[in-house]
Structures are given as structure tokens and as C-alpha cells.
Amino acid sequence: MTQSITEVFADAFKTTFLLKSSPLVDCITNPVTIESMANALLYIDAKPVMADLPEEFPELFTQIDALLLNLGHISPERKDSLLAAGRYAAETHKPAVVDLVGVAATQLRYDIGQQLLQNHPNVVKGNISEVRRFAGLKSTGRGVDGSQLDQSATALAELTKALQELTERFPNTTFLATGETDLVVSAKGQWRLENGVPQLDRFTGTGDIVGALTAALLGIGLSNDEAVVLTVSYFNCCAEVAAAQNTAGGIASFREKTLDQLSLLADQADWVQMVKGEAL
Ligand SMILES: Nc1ncnc2c1ncn2[C@@H]1O[C@H](COP(=O)(O)OP(=O)(O)OP(=O)(O)O)[C@@H](O)[C@H]1O
Ligand SMILES: Cc1ncsc1CCO
Ligand SMILES: [Mg+2]
């Protein structure tokens, strides 16, 4: 019989939200969604710092609890900064999340993602099309968006197998592929998460926020698998409540309501009852 994720991760679901301490997360990220990301961290009671100059890392890394590396907008400076921070996190044993934004689109981003993987980050994530490309599979993603075609049952099974093989070489990394179904694969197991609403595809930064919040949960000491499963489930339950409230509104209102729920849901609802997902 398959086990539900609320059983597998029962302790983490019971104790994580609302956060009891405020992890400081350094986000080296893209200018498109940087403000949404910083605020999303604050809404769950984490603290953002968006510092990307390598000269600052020696001082900064004594203060931060986790690092988020997002490939969403590459410049020569940001490329150096991402690579330097990835190495520094490994040296100083800070938990790190790599978000493979746009890896399905260009070789340059694919190469940066692979270089960052060599530091054995705690989590590597992307939308399903980005993660397919990263795992060496055919991908139909365009730009920074995932493709519906990569979501079929066959494609998900193929991706699960490819990621399992990757975890043999990278046993300390948990892989997350997001979309209508979210797939989590690590050396410890595989899980499928089923919360969320289609409108999440209609405003930008949803995946970026999931990356930053995952880093925050690593920063308070959750395991890689716990941090990924808790973040995706919580964010997607926030979106489900927002969609239910947004009967007359457009996508901009849905966005605001989803972000609002980040600070409300754990306080106001028995949200764990809403969680859908199971071990594979
Ligand atoms: N069709 C959908 N149904 C349910 N949930 C979805 C759907 N699409 C995305 N999500 C959820 O939205 C979040 C972001 O996933 P998505 O794959 O859209 O990331 P992304 O493409 O990296 O986003 P962005 O580029 O906007 O940052 C995840 O938590 C995912 O589960
Ligand atoms: C980086 C970027 N470019 C277009 S939208 C976006 C944010 C989604 O990751
Ligand atoms: Mg993304």
C-alpha cells in the first residue's frame, strides 16, 4: 500500500509552520522576481538578503543560514557570483538550493547548473521541463516555462528513473521537478505531490518562491526531503485557498491572495488536512 506524504513526513508537517526562528537566506537571483522572493520569505517569517558580490561572501556566510542560487537572469557578473557562492556554501557547510531556471532553453545555463551540482547542493529544482533537460532527457520546455507535454505519466516515470540514477552519483542532493504534479526524488525515496491549481502557471515567480522557501526550511534544520515536500505542499495549499477565494478576480488578485496566504494559512487552518501526495 502506498504511504501518504503526511504520514511519511508527519513530524515536519506538525511542527514546521509557523516558523519558530527566522532563518537568514541569501538569494542570488533574477531581477524579474527578486522582490516577490524577498517578500515571500518575510511572509513565512524568514529573512532575505539579496547579496551577490563575492567580496561580501566571507562576512555574509558567517551570518546566513541558507543559500538560494537561481539561474533566471545570467550576466557575466552573476555567473561568477553564482559559481563562487556555490563553492563557498560547500566549503562553509551552508545548505544550498539550486533553481535551474531556463536550463531547458540554453546550453550556457545547463552548463552552469551542472557546475553547481558538483558542489553537492542540498536541493536542485526546476520545472518539469528544466529538470528533464538537466537529467539528460528530451525536453519540450520553452524559455523559463515548463511544458504540458513533459507531464504525461510516461514522461514522469522516465524522469523518476533518470533522477534515481543521478542520486547514485549525488546521494546528498534531493531533486524536485515542479508542475501540475511535483516529483521529488532523493537517495531516500521518491514522492509525488498533487496540490496546486492551474492558475499558478499564470503569474511569474511561483517556482522561484518555492526555491527560496525551500532554502529557508533547510536553514531551520529540516532535512532536504522534508524541506522540499513541506515547501511545495504549503505553497500549493496557499494557492488552493486563494483560488477558492478569488471567484470574481483575475490573475493579479489570485497572485496577491496566494502570497497573502503564506502568512495566514498555517495560523488559520488545519492545512495539513488539505495535503495530497504519496510515496512512489
Ligand atoms: N498546473 C498546475 N497545477 C497545480 N500546481 C501547479 C501547476 N503549475 C504549477 N504548479 C505549482 O506551482 C509552483 C511552481 O511550479 P512551476 O512548474 O510553474 O515553476 P516554474 O516554471 O519554475 O515557475 P516560475 O518560472 O514562474 O518561477 C509549484 O509549487 C507547482 O506545484
Ligand atoms: C527569470 C524570468 N524570466 C522571465 S520570467 C522569470 C522568472 C521565472 O523564473
Ligand atoms: Mg522556475
Side-chain angles (χ1 to χ4, degrees), residues 174-230:
T174 294
F175 295 88
L176 164 66
T178 58
E180 184 181 344
T181 292
D182 306 284
L183 178 65
V184 182
V185 178
S186 80
K188 300 203 171 107
Q190 303 101 47
W191 301 276
R192 192 172 56 199
L193 313 178
E194 299 285 3
N195 288 104
V197 291
Q199 298 95 304
L200 282 169
D201 244 357
R202 303 274 314 280
F203 74 87
T204 192
T206 51
D208 295 3
I209 289 169
V210 165
L213 302 188
T214 303
L217 296 200
L218 291 170
I220 59 166
L222 266 65
S223 72
N224 302 345
D225 297 340
E226 287 172 338
V228 168
V229 169
L230 267 282

Side-chain angles (χ1 to χ4, degrees), residues 30 32-33 72 101 144 204 208:
N30 69 77
V32 182
T33 63
V101 185
V144 300
T204 192
D208 295 3

Side-chain angles (χ1 to χ4, degrees), residues 15-31:
T15 58
T16 301
F17 293 105
L18 308 167
L19 299 195
K20 287 159 206 73
S21 62
S22 296
L24 180 62
V25 185
D26 187 17
C27 304
I28 301 179
T29 189
N30 69 77

Side-chain angles (χ1 to χ4, degrees), residues 246-270:
N246 195 46
T247 46
I251 298 295
S253 314
F254 166 68
R255 172 180 184 272
E256 190 171 282
K257 289 184 168 68
T258 299
L259 297 178
D260 223 11
Q261 284 302 318
L262 288 175
S263 67
L264 297 173
L265 186 66
D267 205 19
Q268 295 188 345
D270 190 2

